[in-house]
Amino acid sequence: MTHGYPPGTGRSPEPAGPYGTRPPGGPGADPYGAAPGTGRAAGAGAPHAIPWQKTAGTAGTAGIAESAGSGWAAATGAHAGTGFGEAAGTAGAAEPAAEAPAPARPGRDRYLDVLRSVALVRVVVYHLFGWAWLTVLFPSMGVMFALAGSLMARSLKRPAASVIRSRVRRLLPPMWAFAAVALSLVFAGGWNPREDPDHGGTWGLLSLLNYIVPIGAPPYPAETGFPGGLLESGWAVDAVGPLWYLRAYLWFVLASPLLLWAFRRAPWPTLLAPLGLTAIVGTGLVTLPGETGNAVTDFAVYGGCWVLGFAHHEGMLQRIPRYVTVSCASLVMAFGLWWASGHLGPDGWDLNDIPLAQAAWSFGFVVILLQYSPSWRELPGRLAKWDKLITLSNNRAVTIYLWHNLLILLTVPVIDLMYRLPFMQSERASAALDSASSLWMFALVWPLIGLSVLAVGWIEDLAAKRRPRLWPNGGGPAGRGGATRSARRG
């Protein structure tokens, strides 16, 4: 897979879909409002027990599912629910004819917002420190593709062409903003795609069109300069490499009408087919060359999770006893770990280097998350103090995913400046800074991400046809209310 790696730290980039509770009416009922894939409409009610309520969606993140208020369906999309409870009963025997209050406005599932935020943080930490065990602890890519799949299944109640146009429209403008900066930097560094041995000639120029519509992976040089010599020559691999996710997401969006049609007619074969395809193209049994092979492998590895999103939306998982679902999922996950143990890559237990293990582990992990998922209309307990940050990260998930790797790289020259401080001239001080450089990168990248949100995050609003917001953390009139309005658009 065409994944980029920050120097000496991260591995394959990952992005970074919450779902409403299924109301009565069976799999065919429409439990969701006409949300544009931007997250639940914000609600203020506290969670409460409902007799018919069983589960409330799934974990969230890339991904690139749709982010709240952003249209990011891969990695970060949330459905608008129809409400979390029945209409209130009558006022009592003394007033049997009292009019029932109006149904509550649909609310966000904050549990799923939390998961999406955690997924984004996990991606940044992974790319900073390169801890392989994080791919086992939380396979965020599989989770986010599952959330995007459920969102697509809900959206495809509308004409398929309009749904695809909407998803593509929300995806491309944020990518164009990033591509404009990235291409300017690589060209300024001296890259000529016609002379690049990996992207040479006319085909090299044509491949640049993937920066406009990522049917394939956008090209980038293995080595090139950086203005001012601030970064090492391999910076483009790390900065542009994460765009492989957009290619994978676009493939899934385009294939979803056919996949959903097949799933509704043959659910189990459609659900398990991607695992079988991964066993063929992800193990070396059949080798496909170049970017075509990478794209097909990515599609196979995460296809099972995408179709699991269909299964969640259609109510298929809820019709299976929980103990059966969890037991089978655990067996699939155990197989994934067993396969990984015999096929460890250069980074050990990094599942991104072991396609079949990644597919099996992510599949089982997602199944369990879709079975166990509380529904929070408000963040409970100590989580409540993180409400604004969680809201902000959901509204800007696309921006965070696209820019975080480049921003991680830019922390390096910032740290280099610290060595010039007067009190850092001793060998002891320099050694201390050397040993803690990764921690300094982690501390510095978040302010840089905040600046990117202010600088280009509003493009996500324009892509979703909303009024631009600089800091959509839910704290102002454009926060929760804005989310409610946007959830009513088609």
Side-chain angles (χ1 to χ4, degrees), residues 303-330:
C305 294
W306 188 275
V307 180
L308 274 174
F310 295 171
H312 170 259
H313 177 267
E314 300 290 301
M316 173 181 172
L317 297 177
Q318 284 69 32
R319 293 193 293 269
I320 304 173
R322 179 170 289 174
Y323 74 91
V324 174
T325 305
V326 174
S327 298
C328 293
S330 299

Side-chain angles (χ1 to χ4, degrees), residues 4 43 97 126-127 132 153 160 195 251 266 285 305 307 312 322 329 346 362 434 442:
Y126 173 77
H127 289 155
E195 299 176 359
W251 278 40
L285 186 62
C305 294
V307 180
H312 170 259
R322 179 170 289 174
S362 298
D434 289 341
F442 180 78

Side-chain angles (χ1 to χ4, degrees), residues 207-480:
S207 65
L208 291 175
L209 295 176
N210 288 312
Y211 281 99
I212 301 175
V213 180
I215 295 297
Y220 48 84
E223 292 188 355
T224 188
F226 191 89
L230 295 178
L231 297 179
E232 295 181 356
S233 60
W235 69 270
V237 176
D238 307 309
V240 185
L243 295 184
W244 73 268
Y245 174 80
L246 277 67
R247 174 199 63 200
Y249 170 74
L250 183 59
W251 278 40
F252 280 123
V253 167
L254 296 176
S256 282
L258 179 60
L259 286 175
L260 185 58
W261 176 86
F263 175 79
R264 286 172 172 168
R265 284 154 181 78
W268 286 108
T270 307
L271 187 62
L272 299 177
L275 290 176
L277 181 59
T278 305
I280 296 173
V281 300
T283 61
L285 186 62
V286 173
T287 301
L288 299 177
E291 284 301 324
T292 300
N294 292 330
V296 172
T297 300
D298 291 339
F299 190 87
V301 168
Y302 300 109
C305 294
W306 188 275
V307 180
L308 274 174
F310 295 171
H312 170 259
H313 177 267
E314 300 290 301
M316 173 181 172
L317 297 177
Q318 284 69 32
R319 293 193 293 269
I320 304 173
R322 179 170 289 174
Y323 74 91
V324 174
T325 305
V326 174
S327 298
C328 293
S330 299
L331 290 175
V332 174
M333 295 169 72
F335 168 78
L337 292 183
W338 170 81
W339 180 266
S341 67
H343 300 81
L344 298 180
D347 300 311
W349 285 86
D350 192 323
L351 299 186
N352 291 308
D353 299 329
I354 316 170
L356 184 58
Q358 176 75 287
W361 180 261
S362 298
F363 186 93
F365 196 95
V366 165
V367 167
I368 294 175
L369 287 180
L370 294 177
Q371 285 284 8
Y372 293 92
S373 52
S375 178
W376 298 336
R377 297 189 69 181
E378 292 181 349
L379 295 179
R382 296 180 180 178
L383 283 175
K385 66 182 180 181
W386 300 99
D387 183 86
K388 289 186 177 181
L389 282 177
I390 289 170
T391 300
L392 178 66
S393 64
N394 277 266
N395 279 315
R396 293 294 179 258
V398 181
T399 299
I400 294 171
Y401 176 77
L402 282 173
W403 292 87
H404 79 275
N405 248 21
L406 177 59
L407 298 177
I408 288 173
L409 295 172
L410 291 178
T411 63
V412 175
V414 175
I415 294 175
D416 288 343
L417 293 175
M418 297 174 64
Y419 286 95
R420 303 181 183 181
L421 297 174
F423 56 84
M424 293 298 301
Q425 299 307 309
S426 68
E427 292 185 5
R428 184 175 181 180
S430 297
L433 184 56
D434 289 341
S435 63
S437 60
S438 293
L439 294 177
W440 278 108
M441 292 172 70
F442 180 78
L444 290 170
V445 74
W446 299 109
L448 294 178
I449 288 174
L451 290 175
S452 72
V453 167
L454 289 172
V456 297
W458 51 269
I459 298 175
E460 294 191 49
D461 293 325
L462 293 181
K465 296 185 177 181
R466 288 189 298 269
R467 180 172 61 85
R469 300 166 293 171
L470 287 179
W471 198 255
N473 64 354
R480 294 185 182 277

